[in-house]
Amino acid sequence: MSTNKHTKPVQKGEELEETNLKNFLLQHGLIKDLQSELEIVQFSNGFSNLTYLLNIEGKEYVLRRPPFAAPKRGHDMGREYKVIHNLKTVFEKTPKAIAFSDNKDILGAPFYIMSKVAGEILTAKEAGKRNVTPNEFKTISNTWLATFVAFHNIDYKEAGLKDLGRPEGYVERQVTNWGKQYLAAATDDVPSSEKVMQWMQENQPKQYDHTIIHNDFKYDNVVFKDDSWEEISAILDWEMCTLGDPLMDLGTSLGYWTTHSDPEFMKQGLQSPTVMLGNPSRSEIVQQYALKSGRNIDNLIFYYAYGLFKIAVIAQQIFYRYKHGHTNDPKFAYLNKASELCCNTAWQAIQKKKIDNLF
């Protein structure tokens, strides 16, 4: 299979055992012949769970599994499979879940297979190649935000997901747990990290809505139906989906939302198609979200700082794995600097009490 704009050859050390995989596909009625040629490539824009594109007998499937040498916390394939399987019944913008296995003898870890969704994925690289216009980005951002609001309005109980998380006490647990995870993965001395952790402990909201939240909702985690950008066919990367405060979800998205007016070191450190002209500012995203959702965005600085800090922890954890030789993907080599940038930016937002024009 030739790679396309979103895939690459399988990273060395991250290969799948093809004979076992073929047997699994046959047992689940996904192929007819064990002798069929199986071609495998990897999706290139992910930083956490590994995602592969399988091509066999003229069909395409997507396989998800945890990273090799992944930490015990997180990367629950069974949970992720259940989320998309159940959500598909109430929310059409969900990929179709096809099969799951927790038998580690097959591929060395639990995994699941889902449908491949056709459409456009807007990474920073892809947006640059396409020369997406400011007018197009106005449509893109509006479609993205409308989908975000619709997602937060899902009746998760109707979807059979009331046990997906514990929304009571969610904010307090997240602040505490992300702080612990950062300290466990720390490799550099970053003074702003301690300041941000302390400030969030002292300034977290006590009352908030309870909804389903995605926790990684950004441009390159949705599939646009086509380049009219007026409809999203599917949301991707469900590994952190849970029940909690929807404004924590918004805060994470704001953390990724680097803009054209941000300094160059922010644009390079947090690369995103949102830096291109036509995208709203972070403050404008908040205003539009409030208008579309009817929610008041109190404690805005907390939510933005939290989003940045969470991204800092994720980047630091991946860098920790890279530094200790558990992965050799070169795109991970400077994630400690991205983590430090997120902590510094969060502290700037706290000190200046705003989310735009921080440097």
Side-chain angles (χ1 to χ4, degrees), residues 107-233:
L107 297 181
F111 66 94
Y112 74 89
I113 292 173
M114 66 180 184
S115 62
K116 179 181 181 293
V117 181
E120 306 294 338
I121 299 176
L122 200 61
T123 62
K125 183 178 179 180
E126 182 65 15
K129 284 172 59 178
R130 284 176 172 270
N131 292 316
V132 179
T133 68
N135 277 338
E136 285 180 302
F137 268 121
K138 289 177 183 177
T139 301
I140 290 166
S141 61
N142 189 63
T143 301
W144 175 87
L145 194 60
T147 302
F148 203 14
V149 171
F151 174 73
H152 287 157
N153 287 335
I154 290 173
D155 186 339
Y156 59 83
K157 294 178 182 177
E158 183 184 347
L161 293 173
K162 65 180 181 181
D163 61 345
L164 182 62
R166 294 177 293 138
E168 293 284 351
Y170 178 79
V171 173
E172 182 179 6
R173 288 196 308 276
Q174 293 302 296
V175 169
T176 299
N177 290 341
W178 284 110
K180 289 179 179 177
Q181 289 182 62
Y182 179 85
L183 294 174
T187 54
D188 305 320
D189 181 25
V190 181
S192 59
S193 65
E194 295 280 354
K195 296 174 183 176
V196 171
M197 284 188 278
Q198 182 66 31
W199 185 89
M200 288 195 301
Q201 285 285 357
E202 296 170 354
N203 292 274
Q204 58 188 273
K206 303 299 183 184
Q207 294 183 324
Y208 43 87
D209 290 344
H210 297 166
T211 73
I212 190 167
I213 58 179
H214 182 271
N215 270 322
D216 205 17
F217 195 85
K218 50 196 176 81
Y219 280 169
D220 60 2
N221 273 342
V222 299
V223 182
F224 288 90
K225 183 178 179 180
D226 52 43
D227 60 7
S228 72
W229 313 112
E230 294 177 347
E231 183 180 345
I232 286 173
S233 297

Side-chain angles (χ1 to χ4, degrees), residues 279-342:
N279 283 288
S281 67
R282 288 182 288 271
S283 295
E284 287 169 337
I285 284 290
V286 171
Q287 292 164 5
Q288 292 175 25
Y289 179 90
L291 185 64
K292 291 177 184 290
S293 68
R295 292 189 174 92
N296 292 320
I297 316 295
D298 296 327
N299 299 306
L300 173 59
I301 304 304
F302 169 83
Y303 289 115
Y304 180 51
Y306 164 79
L308 284 164
F309 184 73
K310 188 176 85 169
I311 296 167
V313 178
I314 294 169
Q316 185 59 42
Q317 288 175 325
I318 298 170
F319 177 76
Y320 183 90
R321 286 183 21 237
Y322 175 85
K323 183 176 181 180
H324 288 81
H326 299 313
T327 177
N328 59 6
D329 194 323
K331 72 181 180 183
F332 299 156
Y334 301 101
L335 285 182
N336 60 325
K337 298 303 180 184
S339 178
E340 182 176 4
L341 171 62
C342 287

